Amino acid sequence: TNVIDAAGQYDAKVDSSANCSLAAHILNAVTVGVNAFVYEAVGEDEDLYEDYGEDVKVLAAALALHDTNKFVREAYGVDVDGNTSDTFDWYFDPAPEENGEERDGDPFGIEEFLGEGYRDDLQYLVQRTEIGENSAELRGLDTDFRGLERYCRIGDSVASVALKRGSEGVYEQLCTLIGEEDVQRIEFTQLEQPILNDTLLGTAKEVIAGEAGGRTYGVVIGSSPDSIVYLGEPIERSTLEQAVSERVPDRISTEFQ
């Protein structure tokens, strides 16, 4: 909610021909990066929150801040060059407005979500999210979160491709970054009735993620109105169709009058 409120009015500028808010791009990056980390790093016998809770929160926070330079440029009109310490200072402790009125810092609520004491770790990861970013400033930082660089890059690059080329581009990018055997894309015929189409897609994602009471096939990355992309093992189309057809009537009767 904080990201949407603070960044939703600004253009992501990922693709000049597309209309996408900076908030949408940020949240897509967070979703993809965190889910890729969960898929690759968390074993079946491990507890996500107990064993990796801090890593997940730091990764989510770093991806939320990965375009801090774009945000402060849009929100405060500051000409910053990259995600430097000056840029982070503007985000966390912005200078007063020209009329002297104080501005609230940390508009995304990162330190409320993560806690204090992580600014250097976050900036270290942010500077390594885009390959062309200058990362010399914190090159020697002793951080416990070096392994998260990979997932910052995955989150940002896949979110950028999603805006330009949709779910097909997301699938191809993930195949390149993670491996074809681990990336699945299922295509559907989009229904004209959007509520029913959303219900079918949502149910299919529940089945794939093991939230419908059956086995887990993978971690869902995202969907378009006619496709789902996930990390995991393939699911037989007939198996998915049967599971969805059994679950959808109950969802409809429960969620709609």
Side-chain angles (χ1 to χ4, degrees):
T1 303
N2 292 339
V3 173
I4 293 171
D5 288 344
Q9 61 188 303
Y10 306 118
D11 188 352
K13 293 185 174 62
V14 177
D15 182 352
S16 59
S17 66
N19 182 18
C20 177
S21 72
L22 181 58
H25 172 69
I26 290 171
L27 294 176
N28 281 338
V30 171
T31 301
V32 173
V34 168
N35 283 349
F37 172 80
V38 170
Y39 177 74
E40 285 197 335
V42 182
E44 292 183 6
D45 59 343
E46 294 179 302
D47 184 278
L48 171 63
Y49 299 102
E50 184 175 333
D51 298 330
Y52 295 97
E54 185 181 30
D55 295 278
V56 168
K57 294 183 79 170
V58 169
L59 175 59
L63 280 165
L65 292 173
H66 83 271
D67 275 337
T68 300
N69 57 328
K70 294 180 183 177
F71 174 75
V72 299
R73 193 179 299 134
E74 294 284 352
Y76 306 132
V78 184
D79 186 16
V80 294
D81 183 19
N83 288 296
T84 63
S85 293
D86 287 342
T87 302
F88 265 54
D89 287 343
W90 260 102
Y91 170 82
F92 284 105
D93 301 298
E97 297 185 46
E98 292 182 1
N99 62 8
E101 186 175 338
E102 294 291 327
R103 307 188 223 232
D104 292 331
D106 193 13
F108 295 172
I110 297 299
E111 291 192 332
E112 180 182 356
F113 165 73
L114 181 60
E116 297 183 358
Y118 291 92
R119 289 192 192 181
D120 286 346
D121 300 294
L122 294 173
Q123 188 181 348
Y124 174 90
L125 292 171
V126 167
Q127 288 183 346
R128 284 152 183 80
T129 298
E130 293 186 21
I131 294 178
E133 180 96 34
N134 185 349
S135 59
E137 193 175 21
L138 293 175
R139 185 170 293 159
L141 180 70
D142 182 19
T143 176
D144 295 329
F145 305 104
R146 289 182 186 274
L148 299 181
E149 297 172 27
R150 164 176 170 77
Y151 302 101
C152 287
R153 295 194 187 107
I154 290 174
D156 180 40
S157 65
V158 172
S160 297
V161 169
L163 177 59
K164 299 173 185 175
R165 299 179 50 227
S167 66
E168 184 176 358
V170 167
Y171 169 76
E172 293 174 355
Q173 183 78 346
L174 286 171
C175 285
T176 300
L177 296 172
I178 293 180
E180 291 185 20
E181 67 277 4
D182 290 309
V183 188
Q184 316 297 332
R185 180 171 181 250
I186 304 174
E187 295 184 84
F188 308 91
T189 300
Q190 182 179 352
L191 301 180
E192 292 183 7
Q193 205 335 309
I195 294 177
L196 181 56
N197 197 70
D198 288 348
T199 303
L200 287 166
L201 276 172
T203 305
K205 287 190 279 190
E206 288 179 345
V207 173
I208 291 167
E211 297 173 1
R215 61 178 290 192
T216 300
Y217 290 89
V219 177
V220 175
I221 291 295
S223 63
S224 67
D226 60 359
S227 65
I228 294 173
V229 177
Y230 70 96
L231 301 176
E233 58 185 275
I235 182 173
E236 290 288 339
R237 198 171 188 89
S238 58
T239 301
L240 181 59
E241 287 178 354
Q242 181 178 349
V244 170
S245 65
E246 291 174 354
R247 186 165 172 78
V248 162
D250 289 337
R251 283 196 59 181
I252 291 175
S253 63
T254 301
E255 297 175 16
F256 305 101
Q257 292 181 350

